[in-house]
Amino acid sequence: VGILLVLFSRIGVFQPLYSFFGTILNDFQTTNLATYQTFQNDWAFFWNLSQVKDENEKLRKENFNLITDKVLLNKQMEDLDSLLKQKQDFDLKYDLVPVRVVRYLDSQTEIVINKGSISNLKVGQPVVFGKNMIGIVSDVLESSARVELITAPGIRLPVVLLGSKTKGFIKGDGATGIVLFEVTNDKKILPEDQLFTSGTDVGTRYGMIIGKVSHIRSDPDKISQGGEVNSSISFNALSELVSVI
């Protein structure tokens, strides 16, 4: 029987049978492969869906943390704004006299205003724009007065730095700039630190805005330090001001 089977196979007797079963098995293999690929695609879809869910959960956590940080930052900003408003308020009762700049003197660090002793202006009284310190009345006539700007080199005003909780003095550079000096070296001056009048001198109320620290000059071998102050006021273009009496 074995010999016959081998012989029949050699002469091609079983060829039609091979073709018949080959066709059936080929269709089965094709169908099976398509089914497997469909299953593989479905599995990949669910796997990707799981990955997307995990990524979405991660993004939700990050978004929650960002919202929390934003709330804390807003709270800190509100606290800082409240503190700044308190620091900027003059701490004594005062009256305001609107004045107008008549002219600049040759030095450009002194101005003449259109109010004088008739309006109760006196030497030593501050002149402001909003809550910004502009200068100090240095000479008074009946209907006019001379004001020395805080940019004048002869000005010397005690100030307090909000961030570093320390005190110092400011003076003018003789042009349009302001210089901070005599701040003790054991205190750290912070960049952009706010400066206000300290109210320790006669006539100048506490809390008038001077400006912000724009440049720090510090030498460890010296007992004091200082820097430059940036003001939001254009001292060479003053017009309508207010005198505090």
Side-chain angles (χ1 to χ4, degrees), residues 28-226:
F28 175 77
Q29 288 176 345
T30 301
T31 303
N32 192 36
L33 179 61
T35 302
Y36 173 78
Q37 288 178 341
T38 301
F39 174 78
Q40 186 181 33
N41 292 336
D42 290 341
W43 174 258
F45 170 78
F46 285 111
W47 174 259
N48 291 336
L49 188 62
S50 175
Q51 293 290 94
V52 170
K53 182 180 178 181
D54 292 340
E55 187 67 23
N56 186 46
E57 185 66 24
K58 181 180 178 181
L59 291 174
R60 286 180 59 190
K61 290 180 179 179
E62 291 177 353
N63 188 48
F64 176 79
N65 292 334
L66 288 174
I67 292 175
T68 303
D69 291 341
K70 183 180 179 181
V71 170
L72 292 176
L73 182 60
N74 287 339
K75 182 63 170 60
Q76 292 173 354
M77 292 295 292
E78 290 175 0
D79 293 342
L80 180 59
D81 287 342
S82 177
L83 181 60
L84 285 175
K85 288 178 181 178
Q86 293 176 9
K87 293 294 185 182
Q88 291 173 6
D89 286 338
F90 304 160
D91 60 346
L92 298 175
K93 293 182 179 180
Y94 57 93
D95 294 322
L96 300 178
V97 178
V99 298
R100 180 171 50 83
V101 178
V102 176
R103 62 189 177 92
Y104 278 81
L105 298 183
D106 292 339
S107 64
Q108 296 298 305
T109 59
E110 288 183 292
I111 57 175
V112 176
I113 57 178
N114 66 335
K115 299 288 178 67
S117 60
I118 296 177
S119 302
N120 294 323
L121 265 65
K122 298 178 181 179
V123 173
Q125 290 174 341
V127 176
V128 299
F129 179 78
K131 291 183 179 179
N132 293 272
M133 182 72 173
I134 299 298
I136 297 175
V137 177
S138 59
D139 190 22
V140 178
L141 300 177
E142 283 189 359
S143 57
S144 65
R146 178 183 294 188
V147 177
E148 191 175 16
L149 303 178
I150 60 174
T151 56
I155 284 287
R156 178 186 172 95
L157 282 178
V159 295
V160 59
L161 287 80
L162 178 63
S164 55
K165 305 295 190 300
T166 189
K167 295 181 179 180
F169 290 87
I170 60 119
K171 63 181 179 180
D173 66 357
T176 58
I178 306 169
V179 178
L180 172 68
F181 66 105
E182 288 192 14
V183 178
T184 57
N185 244 339
D186 60 336
K187 299 288 186 178
K188 183 178 180 181
I189 302 177
L190 304 176
E192 297 294 311
D193 201 351
Q194 292 268 6
L195 276 75
F196 303 92
T197 54
S198 65
T200 56
D201 63 328
V202 178
T204 304
R205 271 63 169 179
Y206 171 83
M208 297 179 182
I209 303 171
I210 299 296
K212 296 181 180 180
V213 176
S214 61
H215 183 71
I216 301 170
R217 299 195 191 100
S218 181
D219 187 345
D221 295 330
K222 297 181 179 180
I223 61 173
S224 64
Q225 57 183 325

